[in-house]
Amino acid sequence: MKPALRLALPLLLAGLAACRRSGSDAQPAPTPAPEAPAPAASDVPPSGPRKPLRPLESFASIQDPAERSRALFLEASRVMLHPRCSNCHPAGDVPHQGMEWKLHDPPVVRGPDDRGVVGMECTGCHQDHNLPLARVPGAPNWHLAPREMAWVGRTPHSLCEQLKDPQRNGGRTLAQLVEHNAHDKLVGWGWEPGHGREPAPGTQEAFGKLVQAWVDTGAQCPPEEAKP
């Protein structure tokens, strides 16, 4: 072997070894996001007329503040667990739609920031207002709730505990929760869904008052077995 080649060969072998290490250290290709689980049949709200949202004044007769707080949240949970609200709080990567929590059609996924993926962003179809002719719903800042804020299929008790946990409520304080529920325009879309869609119970103003009163009375959670 020529002297020059004898010197170059160790360098060449070292370079090949480095390439192999680089390949083994490379990040694996991302795995496809799991599909959103379908809600249980028992979770689907019954069809037919629904009772109106109880006004705040109707809870005044409950003397014990803790008991009143639990009753207030139970009533407010009727809005949060209504499909018009919970459709965008799925546990999986696919939003739901309709009153039966059907998977979004056409197929879409939440993407890295809960706003779809390149070429299929939420705002590609959902504008900042409903489109009556196209029958496409829309509101400002249209997007999915983060995965940690999923609540399809939760009980009112479980939802209540989740909302008080900043790790699972978007990092909000209770005061910020009130503000979000009472004034956020995307939340408000639930009462103005357009195209004959069933709105959430009551009004955003009435819902906001219930949430405010729940916080004011200690933000107590109803028992696990309680149903609205």
Side-chain angles (χ1 to χ4, degrees):
M1 183 178 297
K2 296 181 179 179
L5 184 56
R6 263 200 312 274
L7 291 174
L9 185 57
L11 296 175
L12 176 61
L13 292 175
L16 290 173
C19 289
R20 285 197 294 271
R21 286 198 301 275
S22 176
S24 63
D25 293 342
Q27 294 296 319
T31 55
E35 191 168 278
S42 58
D43 293 334
V44 177
S47 58
R50 305 180 195 282
K51 59 181 180 181
L53 195 69
R54 289 177 59 186
L56 175 60
E57 295 73 22
S58 69
F59 294 86
S61 61
I62 304 177
Q63 297 299 314
D64 180 64
E67 182 182 352
R68 187 162 67 253
S69 187
R70 290 189 286 270
L72 285 163
F73 186 85
L74 206 57
E75 186 66 9
S77 74
R78 292 182 53 217
V79 172
M80 302 178 207
L81 296 174
H82 189 280
R84 201 59 65 215
C85 185
S86 59
N87 275 340
C88 287
H89 286 262
D93 284 328
V94 181
H96 296 273
Q97 63 184 40
M99 294 299 293
E100 301 82 21
W101 287 306
K102 295 178 180 176
L103 296 183
H104 192 284
D105 183 21
V108 294
V109 293
R110 68 167 64 241
D113 59 356
D114 307 310
R115 297 170 187 272
V117 296
V118 174
M120 288 291 282
E121 293 92 345
C122 299
T123 52
C125 293
H126 300 282
Q127 308 300 301
D128 62 1
H129 59 282
N130 293 326
L131 299 178
L133 296 180
R135 303 177 181 178
V136 176
N141 197 27
W142 194 276
H143 65 282
L144 277 182
R147 186 189 290 271
E148 62 271 19
M149 294 176 65
W151 60 49
V152 171
R154 290 198 183 282
T155 64
H157 168 82
S158 177
L159 174 60
C160 179
E161 295 291 349
Q162 178 179 2
L163 288 179
K164 295 196 295 182
D165 181 358
Q167 298 295 320
R168 298 185 293 150
N169 74 1
R172 295 181 173 90
T173 64
L174 290 178
Q176 289 171 327
L177 274 181
V178 173
E179 173 62 24
H180 175 68
N181 286 298
H183 299 115
D184 186 273
K185 292 184 177 179
L186 182 55
V187 174
W189 174 87
W191 290 274
E192 296 181 1
H195 184 55
R197 300 178 182 88
E198 178 181 311
T203 65
Q204 185 172 21
E205 180 181 7
F207 174 58
K209 289 180 178 178
L210 290 178
V211 177
Q212 178 69 72
W214 168 66
V215 171
D216 291 344
T217 50
Q220 301 293 317
C221 292
E224 177 63 36
E225 67 276 9
K227 302 292 182 185

